[in-house]
Amino acid sequence: AQTVTQSQPEMSVQEAETVTLSCTYDTSESNYYLFWYKQPPSRQMILVIRQEAYKQQNATENRFSVNFQKAAKSFSLKISDSQLGDTAMYFCAFRLWGGSRLTFGEGTQLTVNP
Amino acid sequence: DVKVTQSSRYLVKRTGEKVFLECVQDMDHENMFWYRQDPGLGLRLIYFSYDVKMKEKGDIPEGYSVSREKKERFSLILESASTNQTSMYLCASSIPGPYSNQPQHFGDGTRLSIL
């Protein structure tokens, strides 16, 4: 079975600064997908970024980027130029290639301070 | 845009009641999912369905059942509600094809309290 661990229950950052959220996972498979989802106070889960395990290049979406280290089974999320609207719960998730089910981490509550 | 709609944002029920949580998606997705979200535990899969009348148990199915009579609708049923089922429930859907990197799309959640 796959497991996903987010070791930082809470983090805070000043507006305009950079913050990195950590995620590690455990699997014996070599092909899979990794995702970061954001859940703001409105509760709507929103996809932030995704990474295919077979791609060596780290995914980037505007201010959001990942550091994917397959050998270390690590998938961290970097948020640059943090904005107040980035305040949310962030979840890391794993899905096997060929599967439909997502396995989620515990979540990290990020607060961006003005 | 994909729209996943959950019938109630907040719900209060009593112990022993039969509770129905409804979810509807408008994008003809084959896959639909029910999760439970608790602080410090993340999201845990209760059940999912990959087609009409087809279902598969997730990680925590005990005390729950599901129904999918139509492709767009997926219902979660608490047969006899208990206080330990007080939680946030999230519904999600995704396109068919397990080899796709497409994400799941989520509803806004139902915060259920069992008194």
Side-chain angles (χ1 to χ4, degrees):
Chain A
Q2 282 64 232
T3 60
V4 178
T5 302
Q6 294 178 247
S7 58
Q8 305 150 315
E10 296 180 356
M11 294 189 71
S12 63
V13 64
Q14 293 299 122
E15 200 174 2
E17 292 187 348
T18 296
V19 64
T20 298
L21 280 58
S22 301
C23 172
T24 57
Y25 57 93
D26 188 26
T27 184
S28 58
E29 303 291 333
S30 58
N31 292 320
Y32 47 85
Y33 302 104
L34 294 163
F35 304 86
W36 278 100
Y37 280 89
K38 165 185 175 180
Q39 186 182 42
S42 65
R43 296 180 356 198
Q44 175 72 56
M45 289 276 279
I46 303 164
L47 177 70
V48 175
I49 199 164
R50 79 193 84 177
Q51 175 82 42
E52 292 88 347
Y54 63 85
K55 289 187 178 179
Q56 293 188 341
Q57 186 172 6
N58 289 324
T60 300
E61 290 285 345
N62 301 314
R63 298 183 295 109
F64 299 88
S65 61
V66 298
N67 183 4
F68 172 48
Q69 298 188 6
K70 193 172 182 179
K73 296 180 183 175
S74 171
F75 183 61
S76 60
L77 174 69
K78 186 171 84 170
I79 306 174
S80 304
D81 185 26
S82 297
Q83 300 176 359
L84 297 177
D86 294 333
T87 291
M89 181 74 83
Y90 287 81
F91 291 99
C92 178
F94 172 101
R95 195 183 85 211
L96 282 173
W97 187 80
S100 297
R101 302 169 55 152
L102 283 175
T103 300
F104 285 86
E106 303 90 338
T108 296
Q109 176 63 50
L110 175 68
T111 302
V112 179
N113 299 308
Chain B
D1 277 354
V2 177
K3 184 70 174 175
V4 179
T5 303
Q6 294 185 229
S7 55
S8 302
R9 194 163 173 86
Y10 299 94
L11 204 55
V12 180
K13 295 292 182 180
R14 297 222 172 261
T15 303
E17 279 193 68
K18 190 169 185 176
V19 180
F20 292 85
L21 301 183
E22 306 287 345
C23 176
V24 177
Q25 51 95 2
D26 66 356
M27 284 301 292
D28 204 36
H29 286 177
E30 256 75 4
N31 296 333
M32 294 189 76
F33 306 82
W34 275 107
Y35 294 92
R36 173 176 170 157
Q37 181 180 356
D38 298 290
L41 297 177
L43 278 72
R44 293 177 293 168
L45 182 65
I46 304 172
Y47 267 98
F48 79 96
S49 170
Y50 48 93
D51 203 348
V52 175
K53 297 189 186 295
M54 306 302 287
K55 62 184 178 184
E56 196 166 308
K57 290 181 180 178
D59 299 318
I60 52 165
E62 296 78 19
Y64 303 95
S65 63
V66 291
S67 173
R68 191 158 180 211
E69 297 296 320
K70 292 185 178 181
K71 191 174 185 179
E72 67 271 19
R73 186 179 299 270
F74 192 35
S75 303
L76 179 69
I77 304 157
L78 286 65
E79 297 291 343
S80 178
S82 63
T83 55
N84 62 12
Q85 293 178 310
T86 291
S87 187
M88 170 82 83
Y89 290 87
L90 290 168
C91 176
S93 71
S94 68
I95 64 172
Y99 304 97
S100 165
N101 70 347
Q102 293 303 303
Q104 292 182 13
H105 299 268
F106 287 82
D108 287 345
T110 295
R111 192 172 294 282
L112 175 64
S113 295
I114 307 296
L115 304 178

